[in-house]
């Protein structure tokens, strides 16, 4: 088995809980002393750091939300003086000020450790050459993977995003064996490769490590097929580190959490009470031992659950199920909860359409209406009205069966939906 840190990755439950307890107690004491925001919260709640004796006590701690970071923009929640910060990143938020995070050297080293484990899980080694096609910059994706790759000893090609034809040239000439990008950019690159007549034989990729947005099992299979790779999914967010929180092994049984660095809870987003293992809720994360910006019980808005079965890979760390969506991009259409991933799952099983789609939400009177726009795979079909109608009906009925609501289906010409080099924007909400 390809472990990076066998001792931690295969630790018994009791040992892991006691390690987490030790790290939580240390974190809470430090946070109380060094972050006035939390000291004030504790004092208002009548909570003392000494009330936290083990990981079980985590539910006594206050939650943190994105607005807390915004209100303390840019450095108000940092836990160390600026002289100890060696790196600053910020989230890719589309509105308002970004949320800013800082790292000490120790945080950066731990980050590389977390990523190194995910690389080993995907089968990567020091013999690999990696094309990192995440954006280098304030986004945590590229730098996070970069340092982890160097720790493993793999060679890094820091491509960043965009300039797709050049990406493909480098891919053919430099012979990378690992590709790192968002799943949507990997898909787009594969389309351009096809247009340019580049086949699997012209490249040497064997592994894809995808993340920063979700992808369905169907999308994974498509990416594996198109690139001739095995692919894993990786999860994280800048507020608690960036990539490195959790990642899949090749068994694809959910994403193994780096539990010695992150305590993950799943709570009911309305009551904020923990839900039993296996039940879906909002992912709440407390980084353990993080110094730069040590958040407590950060509410991610991501919806997932804890997988309860053992993983055949031998790792004993708990696993996070694929993220279903975010509480803030769950669509409520005619009273039904709809996640874009459910629509992707349906679409990718249907023949003659491309995996590129868009979901448009509008309000017609008081009623929400949902339109699914999807590209046909082959433009010739446009000439064949009855086939087009048949395809439209098929999509309509399959979505209706899964979601129980009627949607408008629009078939578009190939290559008309805007491609993304980072996180794809699948939902256009015009309400
Ligand atoms: O996307 C960190 C990252 C980079 C993770 C590269 C994995 C690989 P942010 O830009 O702060 O950080 O965005 C975090 O992206 O709360 C999720 O909503 C979403 N997200 C990240 N990974 C996944 C995933 C990075 N595997 C936000 N599946 C998170 C679904 C994901 N959503």
């Amino acid at each position: 088995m390809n472990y990076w840190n066998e001792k931690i990755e295969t630790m018994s439950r009791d040992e892991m809980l006691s390690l987490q307890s030790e790290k939580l107690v240390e974190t809470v004491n430090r946070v109380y002393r060094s972050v006035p925001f939390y000291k004030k919260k504790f004092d208002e709640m009548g909570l003392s750091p000494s009330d936290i004796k083990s990981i079980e006590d985590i539910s006594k701690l206050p939650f943190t939300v994105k607005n807390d970071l915004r209100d303390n923009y840019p450095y108000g929640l940092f836990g160390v003086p600026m002289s100890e910060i060696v790196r600053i990143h910020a989230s890719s938020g589309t509105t308002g000020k970004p949320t800013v995070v800082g790292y000490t050297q120790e945080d950066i080293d731990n980050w590389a450790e977390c990523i190194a484990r995910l690389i080993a899980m995907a089968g990567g080694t020091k013999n690999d050459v990696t094309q990192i096609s995440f954006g280098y910059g304030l986004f945590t994706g590229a730098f996070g993977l970069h340092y982890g790759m160097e720790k493993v000893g793999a060679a890094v090609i820091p491509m960043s995003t965009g300039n797709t034809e050049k990406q493909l040239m480098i891919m053919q000439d430099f012979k990378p064996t690992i590709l790192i990008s968002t799943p949507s950019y990997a898909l787009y690159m594969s389309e351009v490769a096809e247009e340019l007549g580049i086949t699997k034989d012209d490249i040497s990729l064997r592994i894809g490590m995808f993340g920063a947005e979700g992808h369905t099992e169907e999308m994974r299979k498509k990416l594996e097929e198109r690139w001739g790779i095995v692919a894993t999914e990786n999860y994280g967010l800048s507020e608690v580190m960036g990539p490195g929180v959790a990642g899949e092994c090749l068994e694809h049984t959910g994403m193994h959490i780096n539990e010695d660095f992150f305590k993950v809870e799943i709570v009911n987003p309305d009551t904020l009470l923990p839900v039993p293992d296996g039940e879906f809720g909002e992912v709440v994360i407390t980084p353990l031992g993080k110094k730069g910006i040590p958040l407590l019980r950060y509410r991610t808005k991501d919806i997932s659950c804890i997988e309860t079965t053992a993983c055949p890979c031998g790792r004993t760390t708990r696993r996070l199920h694929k993220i279903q969506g975010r509480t803030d991009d769950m669509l409520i259409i005619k009273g039904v909860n709809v996640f874009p991933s459910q629509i992707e799952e349906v679409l990718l099983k249907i023949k003659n359409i491309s995996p590129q789609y868009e979901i448009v939400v509008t309000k017609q009177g008081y009623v929400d209406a949902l339109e699914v726009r999807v590209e046909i795979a082959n433009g010739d079909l446009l000439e064949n009205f009855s086939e087009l109608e048949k395809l439209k009906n098929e999509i309509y009925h399959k979505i209706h069966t899964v979601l129980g609501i009627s949607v408008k289906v629009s078939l578009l010409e190939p290559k008309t939906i805007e491609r993304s080099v980072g996180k794809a924007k699948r939902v256009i909400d015009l309400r």
Side-chain angles (χ1 to χ4, degrees):
M1 255 317 146
N2 210 0
Y3 301 121
W4 176 257
N5 187 332
E6 185 167 354
K7 179 165 178 276
I8 296 283
E9 292 174 82
T10 62
M11 209 170 230
S12 74
R13 200 70 226 138
D14 284 349
E15 281 175 307
M16 181 55 81
L17 291 175
S18 100
L19 179 58
Q20 286 189 323
S21 295
E22 198 185 297
K23 290 182 87 169
L24 181 69
V25 169
E26 185 279 323
T27 301
V28 166
N29 279 282
R30 177 165 41 80
V31 165
Y32 183 78
R33 282 195 315 271
S34 59
V35 186
F37 166 84
Y38 282 116
K39 179 173 189 309
K40 186 160 170 267
K41 274 210 167 186
F42 275 48
D43 293 349
E44 279 167 7
M45 292 166 77
L47 184 69
S48 152
S50 60
D51 294 333
I52 309 300
K53 297 187 175 65
S54 83
I55 197 74
E56 306 288 310
D57 294 323
I58 196 159
S59 56
K60 297 180 182 161
L61 295 173
F63 288 98
T64 309
V65 295
K66 200 174 191 92
N67 268 342
D68 294 327
L69 281 105
R70 294 223 168 98
D71 293 346
N72 290 282
Y73 177 82
Y75 301 143
L77 296 186
F78 281 18
V80 294
M82 200 43 101
S83 56
E84 286 182 44
I85 295 286
V86 300
R87 178 90 63 77
I88 292 165
H89 280 284
S91 84
S92 45
T94 44
T95 50
K97 300 268 192 197
T99 46
V100 183
V101 292
Y103 303 74
T104 63
Q105 186 55 53
E106 185 187 338
D107 293 336
I108 295 278
D109 295 344
N110 290 339
W111 196 5
E113 163 71 21
C114 289
I115 301 285
R117 293 182 199 165
L118 305 189
I119 296 166
M121 272 185 226
T125 70
K126 69 195 282 289
N127 299 324
D128 280 295
V129 177
T130 308
Q131 181 158 341
I132 299 189
S133 304
F134 276 140
Y136 278 77
L138 288 177
F139 176 54
T140 51
F143 280 102
L145 269 299
H146 184 117
Y147 282 75
M149 279 293 167
E150 288 188 349
K151 187 171 174 97
V152 167
V156 172
I157 310 172
M159 276 306 289
S160 205
T161 48
N163 204 344
T164 305
E165 293 197 8
K166 185 162 177 197
Q167 299 262 2
L168 293 166
M169 180 187 82
I170 297 291
M171 211 181 270
Q172 291 173 90
D173 296 349
F174 293 15
K175 304 279 179 238
T177 49
I178 302 182
L179 173 65
I180 289 181
S181 70
T182 59
S184 53
Y185 191 41
L187 181 69
Y188 174 38
M189 280 193 275
S190 76
E191 286 178 352
V192 179
E194 200 176 295
E195 276 166 27
L196 296 174
I198 300 168
T199 69
K200 287 184 246 185
D201 297 337
D202 301 316
I203 57 170
S204 310
L205 291 181
R206 60 182 199 95
I207 296 172
M209 288 181 68
F210 302 126
E213 62 182 8
H215 63 280
T216 56
E217 273 302 288
E218 287 70 24
M219 182 72 89
R220 171 169 69 83
K221 286 184 189 129
K222 221 153 233 162
L223 290 169
E224 288 185 331
E225 217 269 311
R226 288 190 173 193
W227 287 112
I229 55 174
V230 289
T232 63
E233 159 149 31
N234 300 281
Y235 170 79
L237 53 150
S238 22
E239 290 85 347
V240 302
M241 174 182 273
V245 174
E248 278 181 324
C249 67
L250 294 172
E251 302 287 343
H252 302 293
T253 54
M255 298 178 280
H256 289 274
I257 301 164
N258 278 316
E259 285 190 277
D260 50 333
F261 289 109
F262 301 97
K263 167 64 187 171
V264 172
E265 299 169 88
I266 308 286
V267 303
N268 176 315
D270 299 321
T271 63
L272 298 183
L273 293 173
V275 302
D277 285 353
E279 217 168 88
F280 281 94
E282 179 175 349
V283 178
V284 171
I285 305 181
T286 306
L288 301 171
K290 192 149 170 280
K291 305 278 160 61
I293 178 163
L295 301 183
L296 301 178
R297 302 189 90 196
Y298 185 69
R299 291 185 58 187
T300 64
K301 297 196 171 171
D302 294 322
I303 303 286
S304 179
C305 70
I306 297 291
E307 297 282 359
T308 49
T309 54
C311 183
C313 78
R315 288 178 183 82
T316 51
T317 40
R318 281 150 65 96
R319 301 182 317 280
L320 202 55
H321 186 86
K322 268 183 179 305
I323 306 297
Q324 280 220 310
R326 293 176 52 80
T327 50
D328 52 3
D329 62 37
M330 181 180 79
L331 304 166
I332 303 179
I333 308 292
K334 296 168 193 158
V336 177
N337 297 349
V338 177
F339 285 109
S341 60
Q342 293 174 294
I343 295 178
E344 175 174 311
E345 211 173 308
V346 175
L347 292 177
L348 267 73
K349 285 185 190 139
I350 298 175
K351 288 209 181 75
N352 295 327
I353 53 177
S354 94
Q356 301 287 0
Y357 65 94
E358 243 167 35
I359 298 164
V360 185
V361 195
T362 49
K363 210 161 194 97
Q364 295 178 351
Y366 293 110
V367 186
D368 296 319
L370 200 147
E371 177 188 359
V372 175
R373 295 181 181 163
V374 57
E375 288 177 5
I376 50 173
N378 181 343
D380 295 346
L381 202 66
L382 284 174
E383 315 285 309
N384 192 333
F385 185 73
S386 69
E387 279 302 310
L388 272 183
E389 279 305 295
K390 223 163 93 193
L391 187 55
K392 238 181 175 173
N393 276 331
E394 182 187 353
I395 299 171
Y396 173 88
H397 285 294
K398 290 204 167 141
I399 293 180
H400 190 267
T401 309
V402 170
L403 300 181
I405 53 167
S406 300
V407 302
K408 177 178 175 204
V409 177
S410 303
L411 294 177
L412 310 183
E413 286 185 38
K415 314 270 153 62
T416 42
I417 289 174
E418 197 185 334
R419 304 305 195 245
S420 111
V421 299
K423 301 187 191 226
K425 184 160 171 37
R426 301 286 188 202
V427 179
I428 302 170
D429 200 333
L430 301 175
R431 283 173 298 184

